Amino acid sequence: MRIISGKYKGRRITAPKNLPVRPTTDMSKEALFNVLNNHYHFAELKVLDLFSGTGNISYEFGSRGCENITSIDGDVGCINFIKKTAKEFDLNITAIKNDVFKFLEKHKATYDIIFADPPYGIEQKQFEKLIELVFEKELLDSAGMLVVEHSKRTKLDHMMHFSFEKNYGGSVFTFYELEGDDEESEDEEDEN
C-alpha cells in the first residue's frame, strides 16, 4: 500500500502479513479522495476512521494535512501497527482498540468525516446499524459526511441521509450527509 497524495505522496507502507485486513485499493482510495477534495479543506477536518485496519485511510488524511484523526479497530495488531506508523510519519492519529459498535454507542464527539470500511462479510443489518448509530448519536457535524465502503452485493442507498454512491472496481463508496435533508424541504415549503 502507498500514500497517494500530500506530504508523504509515494511512500510505501508494508503492513504485517498476519493482520486480518483488506486495505482499500490505491485506485479506489484516489477516487474517494478526489470526491472529498471537492468538499473539504483537509487541514481543518476532524476525522473518524472506523474498522481502520492497517490505517491506510488515516495515513492518507494525515498526509494531506489533517491534524485530528481517530482510528478505531477491534484488532490489537492493527492498532499497534497504526500507532507505530503514525509515530514514524509524525502524524496526529489517535488509535483506539475497541469494538466499533460499542465505541459509537458511547462516544460523544462530532466529526467532519466519518469513514467506515467494515469487513465485507458482515451482515446487511450490521451495515445499517452502523449508519443508524452515527446519525442517532449525532456524531457528524452539520456539514459532515459519512462514507461507507462496501461490496456491490450490499445495498445501502435506502438508508436515511443517503446522498450518493460511487462504484470503483469491486468496491462501492456510499456517502451520507445531514445537509439537504427534510429540514431544507420544510423551509422551502414555508417560503411558498
Side-chain angles (χ1 to χ4, degrees), residues 37-86:
N37 214 24
N38 290 326
H39 287 80
Y40 299 102
H41 181 66
F42 289 103
E44 298 162 3
L45 296 181
K46 188 174 178 188
V47 174
L48 179 61
D49 182 8
L50 302 172
F51 304 97
S52 51
T54 60
N56 189 9
I57 296 295
S58 292
Y59 309 139
E60 199 65 51
F61 275 111
S63 180
R64 291 163 186 257
C66 186
E67 292 285 331
N68 191 335
I69 305 162
T70 303
S71 299
I72 310 296
D73 200 276
D75 185 84
V76 69
C78 289
I79 291 303
N80 289 339
F81 179 71
I82 293 169
K83 286 179 179 176
K84 175 178 162 280
T85 307

Side-chain angles (χ1 to χ4, degrees), residues 5-181:
S5 191
K7 184 177 179 182
Y8 298 108
K9 181 179 179 176
R11 292 282 292 271
R12 294 210 165 271
I13 298 168
T14 307
K17 292 205 180 339
N18 61 344
L19 296 182
V21 296
R22 173 199 37 77
T24 303
T25 66
D26 287 350
M27 184 188 83
S28 296
K29 193 166 54 166
E30 189 159 5
L32 167 67
F33 277 88
N34 284 342
V35 171
L36 297 177
N37 214 24
N38 290 326
H39 287 80
Y40 299 102
H41 181 66
F42 289 103
E44 298 162 3
L45 296 181
K46 188 174 178 188
V47 174
L48 179 61
D49 182 8
L50 302 172
F51 304 97
S52 51
T54 60
N56 189 9
I57 296 295
S58 292
Y59 309 139
E60 199 65 51
F61 275 111
S63 180
R64 291 163 186 257
C66 186
E67 292 285 331
N68 191 335
I69 305 162
T70 303
S71 299
I72 310 296
D73 200 276
D75 185 84
V76 69
C78 289
I79 291 303
N80 289 339
F81 179 71
I82 293 169
K83 286 179 179 176
K84 175 178 162 280
T85 307
K87 192 174 179 182
E88 280 174 25
F89 285 84
D90 193 28
L91 297 173
N92 190 22
I93 299 172
T94 303
I96 301 169
K97 184 199 174 298
N98 203 334
D99 175 87
V100 165
F101 294 98
K102 288 179 184 169
F103 176 84
L104 292 176
E105 287 276 4
K106 295 180 179 165
H107 201 58
K108 301 273 190 264
T110 59
Y111 298 88
D112 299 295
I113 295 178
I114 300 176
F115 178 82
D117 183 11
Y120 280 11
I122 73 168
E123 293 180 15
Q124 173 87 20
K125 284 181 184 174
Q126 293 294 90
F127 277 100
E128 292 173 1
K129 181 182 174 186
L130 172 78
I131 296 160
E132 286 164 1
L133 273 173
V134 166
F135 289 102
E136 278 171 20
K137 299 295 180 178
E138 298 179 342
L139 300 177
L140 269 185
D141 280 337
S142 59
M145 190 177 278
L146 166 66
V147 185
V148 181
E149 182 176 354
H150 56 93
S151 76
K152 288 180 176 175
R153 290 187 310 277
T154 303
K155 300 293 181 206
L156 298 173
D157 57 354
H158 64 284
M159 299 296 293
M160 256 181 101
H161 305 291
F162 170 77
S163 185
F164 61 98
E165 66 180 28
K166 299 276 187 181
N167 297 298
Y168 303 104
S171 295
V172 180
F173 294 113
T174 301
F175 297 79
Y176 301 87
E177 297 175 86
L178 284 168
E179 285 187 340
D181 282 338

